[in-house]
């Protein structure tokens, strides 16, 4: 029998709470990273996500002691605890590979898959070892330690970024969202991606129906070639982006023409695909949205949404509805929809 390491129980408790906090921050910023598309906020979210993940590494020496001490007593939960450890390690390693720009695009799917698998195991693991809050949790000493951990995590993240730059890793040129460039100004080289279970529809597209209240207009794709242009990045949560010159008609302009400027001040607009895939956006954003029929001067390909797709600058790719068949002005607020598409 090995002698028990003579550590105060508190040390293990603080390590575990710190790990739980970092994992919670990593999970929250991971979900948030899918939602943000504008460079400023995206940079912050992605940096905090990276630092939280790397911060886990700083706690490995302490966690090793905690695990060694508990291993003998935890026969019943060893299997799930070990699996949790493996999944967390896999999440961190695949995240680092993604950041380095290696093994794309599969490595980001591994990262997200392993992270999602971690959640139920972590909840069970932490619940089985739940702790009452203590007054010392907010002591000066604890706060200083938390600050030191945060500073260490930030330093590790900064060092990682510097190494990528010096090494000239493919990931050094990432966008603020973390995505890598693929197919800018060359739509044929841009990946064709669906969100979840959707697929490229076959058969010819019909007309486009635009609805506001009782009024209905029916258009063909040719009606949308108005020469409105925008240069914008399509940035997929799968980890790539491409900047294109998109052309078609601005949504505010089209709606004003069709409905003689008689539009509600608030409300939203539902953009629905031929496949049933849909997103709801605030009507006040219509001036920044484009119904695009071409990219880089060429008509859209079938995979990229022909004959017409939504271009939503500053929003992640899942907002850029392809194969648009119906546009409807509705009173409901834009957030009354699932936060991510369901198909
Ligand atoms: N109808 C429909 N539109 C869609 C999707 C989808 O699955 N179905 N996927 C979205 C996602 S997640 C992205 S990243 C872009 C990808 O566009 P691309 O295939 O032209 O590159 O389309 C968006 N529009
Ligand atoms: Mo995407």
């Amino acid at each position: 029998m090995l002698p028990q390491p003579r550590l105060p129980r508190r040390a293990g408790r603080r390590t575990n709470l710190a790990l739980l906090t970092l994992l919670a921050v990593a999970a929250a910023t991971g979900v948030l990273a899918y939602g943000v598309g504008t460079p400023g906020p995206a940079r912050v979210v992605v940096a905090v996500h990276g630092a939280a993940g790397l911060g886990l590494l700083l706690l490995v020496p302490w966690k090793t002691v905690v695990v060694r001490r508990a291993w003998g007593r935890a026969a019943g939960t060893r299997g799930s605890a070990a699996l949790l450890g493996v999944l967390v390690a896999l999440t961190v390693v695949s995240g680092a590979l993604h950041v380095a720009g290696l093994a794309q695009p599969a490595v980001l799917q591994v990262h997200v898959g392993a992270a999602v698998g971690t959640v139920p195991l972590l909840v069970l693991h932490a619940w089985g070892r739940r702790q009452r809050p203590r007054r010392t949790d907010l002591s000066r000493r604890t706060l200083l330690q938390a600050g030191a951990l945060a500073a260490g995590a930030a330093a590790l993240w900064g060092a990682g970024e510097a190494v990528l730059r010096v090494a000239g890793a493919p990931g050094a040129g990432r966008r603020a969202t973390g995505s890598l460039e693929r197919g800018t100004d060359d739509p044929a080289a841009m990946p064709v991606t669906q969100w979840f279970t959707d697929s490229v529809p076959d058969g010819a597209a019909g007309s486009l129906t635009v609805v506001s209240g009782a009024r209905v207009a029916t258009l063909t794709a040719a009606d949308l070639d108005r020469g409105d242009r925008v240069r914008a990045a399509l940035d997929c949560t799968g980890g790539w982006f491409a900047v294109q010159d998109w052309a078609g008609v601005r949504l505010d302009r089209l709606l004003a023409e069709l409905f003689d400027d008689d539009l509600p001040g608030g409300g939203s607009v539902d953009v629905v695909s031929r496949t049933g895939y849909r997103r709801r956006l605030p009507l006040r954003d219509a001036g920044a949205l484009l119904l695009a029929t071409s990219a880089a001067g060429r008509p859209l390909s079938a995979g990229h949404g022909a004959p017409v797709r939504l271009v939503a600058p500053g929003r992640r790719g899942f907002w850029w509805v392809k194969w648009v068949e119906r546009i409807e002005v509705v009173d409901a607020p834009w957030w009354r929809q699932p936060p991510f598409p369901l198909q």
Side-chain angles (χ1 to χ4, degrees):
M1 188 76 194
L2 290 168
Q4 293 278 312
R6 245 183 285 126
L7 274 170
R9 286 192 66 83
R10 276 182 306 152
R13 174 188 155 88
R14 275 201 299 266
T15 300
N16 288 339
L17 279 177
L19 282 168
L20 190 60
T21 306
L22 287 177
L23 288 167
V25 169
T29 48
V31 174
L32 211 54
Y34 263 25
V36 291
T38 36
R43 206 175 293 283
V44 175
V45 169
V46 167
V48 173
H49 185 67
L54 290 174
L56 296 170
L57 301 179
L58 297 174
L59 294 169
V60 166
W62 281 274
K63 184 65 176 175
T64 307
V65 175
V66 175
V67 169
R68 278 222 192 101
R69 203 172 51 192
W71 200 247
R73 286 182 274 119
T77 54
R78 262 185 233 164
S80 61
L83 182 60
L84 174 58
V86 168
L87 283 179
V88 170
L90 187 60
T91 307
V92 172
V93 170
S94 55
L97 285 174
H98 167 63
V99 168
L102 305 171
Q104 300 297 320
V107 81
L108 188 58
Q109 287 160 17
V110 171
H111 179 70
V112 174
V116 168
T118 300
V119 173
L121 286 173
L122 179 65
V123 168
L124 286 175
H125 186 86
W127 184 253
R129 294 153 181 78
R130 63 193 175 279
Q131 306 269 321
R132 282 175 198 286
R134 289 186 196 160
R135 190 140 16 116
T136 50
D137 288 346
L138 286 177
S139 69
R140 209 176 112 83
R141 178 151 173 243
T142 315
L143 293 180
L144 281 174
Q145 285 176 335
L149 176 61
L156 205 52
W157 179 83
E161 290 292 299
V163 168
L164 289 185
R165 257 181 224 130
V166 171
R174 273 157 29 240
R175 207 168 175 251
T177 55
S179 295
L180 291 162
E181 193 280 313
R182 274 181 81 190
T184 287
D185 293 323
D186 184 6
M190 186 170 75
V192 169
T193 355
Q194 277 61 251
W195 171 255
F196 194 35
T197 56
D198 210 4
S199 55
V200 180
D202 40 33
S207 50
L208 173 74
T209 306
V210 190
V211 182
S212 175
R215 289 161 311 167
V216 180
T218 306
L219 304 170
T220 65
D223 297 331
L224 304 175
D225 290 330
R226 306 290 184 81
D228 287 343
R229 278 160 209 292
V230 65
R231 185 165 174 80
L234 169 53
D235 188 335
C236 177
T237 52
W240 60 268
F241 77 92
V243 182
Q244 309 292 356
D245 288 320
W246 308 94
V249 62
R250 256 171 54 184
L251 186 60
D252 63 336
R253 189 170 147 197
L254 182 74
L255 292 175
E257 264 175 35
L258 290 177
F259 304 124
D260 309 315
D261 285 315
D262 183 19
L263 286 165
S268 316
V269 56
D270 281 344
V271 181
V272 188
S273 170
R274 195 140 65 89
T275 63
Y277 184 101
R278 51 162 62 219
R279 288 276 86 194
R280 175 175 292 167
L281 298 99
L283 192 57
R284 62 169 187 279
D285 284 5
L289 300 172
L290 190 78
L291 287 171
T293 52
S294 76
R298 290 185 293 280
L300 295 179
S301 68
H304 289 135
V308 52
R309 81 175 305 160
L310 186 68
V311 165
R315 290 175 185 264
R316 294 307 287 269
F318 66 84
W319 293 94
W320 297 45
V321 180
K322 299 192 279 191
W323 316 295
V324 176
E325 130 186 302
R326 182 180 173 89
I327 289 173
E328 181 166 359
V329 177
V330 295
D331 288 331
W334 69 269
W335 42 262
R336 200 172 297 159
Q337 69 179 327
F340 297 110
L342 299 177
Q343 80 183 69

